[in-house]
Every structure is written in structure tokens, then in C-alpha cells.
Amino acid sequence: MTRVLTDRALGRATLARQFLLERADVTALAAVEHLAGLQAQAPTPPYLALWARVKNFAAEELSTLIERRQVVRLVAMRGTVFVMSAADAASFRGTVQSIMDRDLHTNTAHRAALSGMDLAALAQAGRELVSEGPLTQMQMRPLLAERFPGRSPEGLAHGIRGLLPMVQVPPRGLWGRSGPPALTTLESWLGTELDSTPVPDALVLRYLAAFGPASVKDAQAWSGLTRLAEVFERLRPNLMTFVNEKGTELFDLPGAPRPDDGTPPVRILAPFDNILLSHADRSRIMDEQYRTRVFTVNGIIKPAVLVRGKVVGFAAESAKGDTARLTVSLFSQQSKTAMSSIEREARSLLRFLHPTISKHEISVEILT
């Protein structure tokens, strides 16, 4: 009989692989690779994701990796910006390229500009435009308008972003600096030709290592790809299988951790944290009734607060003058032990975010 994994067991397994049961004593580069990249729609979330997961993480470590081109920012899974290692960037992007190809024909804002377009010519134009140095999309637009008159330059620039693996170069994404997303090709940035042949089997195995046990639909939710059932079938002989409480089949790596004891610690996650975005069924980490409180209607995903491995609220941080503040909003009253742990984690987060500000204020509210 196939073993049933409860939501509690699934949550613990995923937390273990996400370094959220215990902060891992690893380098930032090792963490980025193990986690199969980090959601990076804004510059700060990857730093907060690593702070929550890596022991003694220093923000400058990730900044240095970006400056040294060992870590890059580019559009990948789900068609959103990720931070990932240079070693992973080409294969990950090549495997999910079909998402960007589909977007060229379905994006309501830009598809008219790309309709009937010679996409190979557009891609070549993009390579040529950035051959002498990175450009922002705003800088690309008038140059593209000259080459392709009569078409929306905004749509053309968007097309290049989808057709080519374009890296957002520093200072974009650096801790405390950042800047507009200037782009160049991944090949140019790394100074080497890259093999972007799709490797869906390898991508699924990396996903399971970071987020398993998981279903086919879970892997599709994380990657943005469709038709992964055939990939799982190819891999089935070398995978373990389970079912969740709803009877859905789950797959996992034989040697992956599935701990069954201990109490998960309090953690404050990053905005857009990948653990909230990487399963079709989020019940292992968050009750559905709370989703709309964490996921806003305008696409923002708040920094979630985990207690005993489940989302129990969210946090909001601000700083003004000599004071840094963090407000924790809880969906229900927590135990005294949990409240003390939340305050400790909140103070640690403020020290990380604002090391030069000495006055830290923590407030907790119970939402009704």
C-alpha cells in the first residue's frame, strides 16, 4: 500500500529542504543552487530569503557573487525574475524557454506588436544592441523603433526580453545600491557560449530536492511548464511515491530528508518567498483561508510568519530616522513561547536590515 503523507509530514519535509527547520551552515552560493534559485522580482527578497535560511548570512556575500558573475538575475521559472547560479542559469532558462515563447503570443499588452514579426531578426537585433554594453528596455526602445518602424517599441523590447536569456547586470540587485534593470545577454555576461538545450528531467529532480515530496501539478506550478506528467513517468523507476491526505500522488527522491519529529522554529519569510509559490496545493505550509491575506490583489506577496511550520500571519517593516519598526500581524493568538520567538526573530531581522539603526520597535497585532 502506498504510504500516506499528512500535511504536517509534507510541511516538515519541505521545510527541511528549504533550510527552514534549521539555518544551514553553507555558503550563499551553495544555498542558491540547492534552493534551485530564489524569487527576485525586487532586489531585496533574495537577501531576506537567504537570511531566513543560512546561518550567519551576510548580505555582502550575495552582492559579491552578483558582482563576480557567479550569480545572475534573469527571467526563468514562471516567467519571473530569479536569482540563480551562473552554472544553473543557461539550463534552467533553456528548459523554461517555452514559457517565454508562449508569452510572445498571449501577452495582451505586447502581442499586437509581435504579431507576424520575424522573431529571429528581433532576437539578432537584441544581441546587436547590447553588444557594446548593457541597456535598459527604455534605452532599447528608440533604437528598436528605428529598426522596426511601425511597431510598438515597448512590445519589441518585451519580445527581446523573452527571446533571449537577458541578465539584469549590477548595480541592479546589489545590497543597498541597486539601480534600473540594465540588460545584456547571458552569454556576453559570462563570456562563454552556453548550451540551452532543455533538460526537463534534471529540472524536475532539482525541484524535488528543494521542494519535495510533490505532485506533477506542484512541479508545474513552480516552473510554469505544462505536460510534466511524461517527465515524471520517465523518472518514476528512480523515485519514491506517496499520496497526500487528498489522495494525490506525490513523488520524491529516495535519499531526501523527511523528518518526523521536532518543532519547526519561528521564521519570517521574504516577500514573494518561493516556498509559498512552488506548490499547486499549499496546504502543507498555509491554510487556504489565509491566502488572500498574504497574496494581495495587486500581486504583492507579503513576508509570511511561520509558527510550527505553518503561515500564521505576515510582517511589515519600515524605518524612519533613528528608528526601525516591524509590525507582525497574526491571524490568531499564539502561545507565549511562540510570541517570544516571534519577537526574537523580528529583532534579528531588523538588525539584518538596519545594522546602523540602534532603536528597534516591534509590535504585534491580532487580526479579526
Side-chain angles (χ1 to χ4, degrees):
M1 179 178 292
T2 304
R3 179 183 168 188
V4 176
L5 293 180
T6 64
D7 284 346
R8 179 176 179 274
L10 288 172
R12 287 171 183 275
T14 306
L15 289 170
R17 296 170 210 197
Q18 286 286 304
F19 300 154
L20 290 169
L21 279 186
E22 182 179 2
R23 283 184 168 93
D25 189 8
V26 298
T27 66
L29 180 58
V32 169
E33 289 196 328
H34 170 77
L35 297 166
L38 299 167
Q39 187 90 1
Q41 288 169 284
T44 303
Y47 293 90
L48 298 182
L50 290 175
W51 168 82
R53 292 165 167 84
V54 176
K55 187 177 181 180
N56 299 321
F57 170 67
E60 293 75 16
E61 186 179 358
L62 180 57
S63 277
T64 298
L65 290 170
I66 294 172
E67 289 182 302
R68 292 179 178 174
R69 310 188 187 195
Q70 293 175 272
V71 163
V72 297
R73 294 173 53 87
L74 81 168
V75 174
M77 285 73 72
R78 303 189 295 275
T80 60
V81 179
F82 270 70
V83 158
M84 61 182 62
S85 72
D88 283 338
S91 63
F92 276 44
R93 173 56 189 257
T95 304
V96 300
Q97 179 60 42
S98 60
I99 299 170
M100 271 58 78
D101 293 341
R102 184 169 62 245
D103 174 78
L104 297 176
H105 305 289
T106 60
N107 187 296
T108 55
H110 301 300
R111 65 185 178 190
L114 300 171
S115 178
M117 184 79 191
D118 182 340
L119 296 180
L122 180 59
Q124 181 58 32
R127 291 189 185 93
E128 293 172 359
L129 289 180
V130 298
S131 62
E132 296 183 4
L135 296 172
T136 66
Q137 286 197 323
M138 187 68 71
Q139 291 169 327
M140 287 183 191
R141 290 170 186 174
L143 303 175
L144 289 168
E146 292 178 6
R147 294 192 180 214
F148 304 99
R151 292 184 179 269
S152 164
E154 293 83 2
L156 295 173
H158 177 80
I160 288 173
R161 174 182 178 271
L163 289 166
L164 300 175
M166 303 288 278
V167 175
Q168 294 185 355
V169 305
R172 182 68 173 180
L174 298 183
W175 183 251
R177 293 168 60 187
S178 199
L183 305 171
T184 192
T185 62
L186 181 62
E187 295 91 340
S188 174
W189 187 243
L190 299 183
T192 183
E193 292 187 9
L194 301 171
D195 182 1
S196 58
T197 303
V199 285
D201 295 33
L203 193 73
V204 164
L205 294 175
R206 292 288 299 279
Y207 168 72
L208 291 176
F211 296 98
S215 69
V216 173
K217 288 185 178 180
D218 288 332
Q220 292 179 166
W222 169 74
S223 64
L225 294 170
T226 58
R227 301 180 181 177
L228 288 183
E230 60 189 55
V231 176
F232 278 89
E233 287 304 316
R234 284 198 300 270
L235 296 171
R236 183 184 289 274
N238 297 314
L239 297 177
M240 297 184 69
T241 57
F242 307 91
V243 294
N244 64 14
E245 295 178 12
K246 300 172 184 175
T248 302
E249 184 175 38
L250 307 174
F251 297 83
D252 204 9
L253 305 178
R258 287 178 291 275
D260 58 6
D261 57 5
T263 301
V266 167
R267 288 289 184 264
I268 300 175
L269 303 180
F272 304 99
D273 199 288
N274 239 11
I275 199 171
L276 302 180
L277 292 164
S278 299
H279 299 91
D281 181 351
R282 302 185 181 95
S283 56
R284 71 183 68 192
I285 193 76
M286 180 171 62
D287 293 336
E288 180 61 24
Q289 62 182 315
Y290 300 135
R291 184 183 62 81
T292 56
R293 294 192 174 193
V294 177
F295 290 57
T296 69
V297 293
N298 58 351
I300 301 299
I301 301 174
K302 301 172 185 177
V305 177
L306 300 183
V307 173
R308 297 179 297 278
K310 296 293 288 284
V311 174
V312 300
F314 54 86
E317 170 272 330
S318 64
K320 184 176 182 180
D322 64 351
T323 302
R325 297 180 175 85
L326 193 138
T327 300
V328 177
S329 302
L330 299 175
F331 304 138
S332 62
Q333 183 66 50
Q334 301 297 309
S335 68
K336 289 183 179 180
T337 300
M339 296 294 278
S340 296
S341 296
I342 289 171
E343 182 172 348
R344 283 197 302 272
E345 194 75 354
R347 292 193 182 281
S348 178
L349 176 56
L350 287 180
R351 287 194 297 271
F352 175 77
L353 285 169
H354 305 288
T356 62
I357 296 179
S358 58
K359 186 178 180 182
H360 295 159
E361 294 183 353
I362 311 295
S363 62
V364 178
E365 62 178 6
I366 310 299
L367 300 174
T368 57

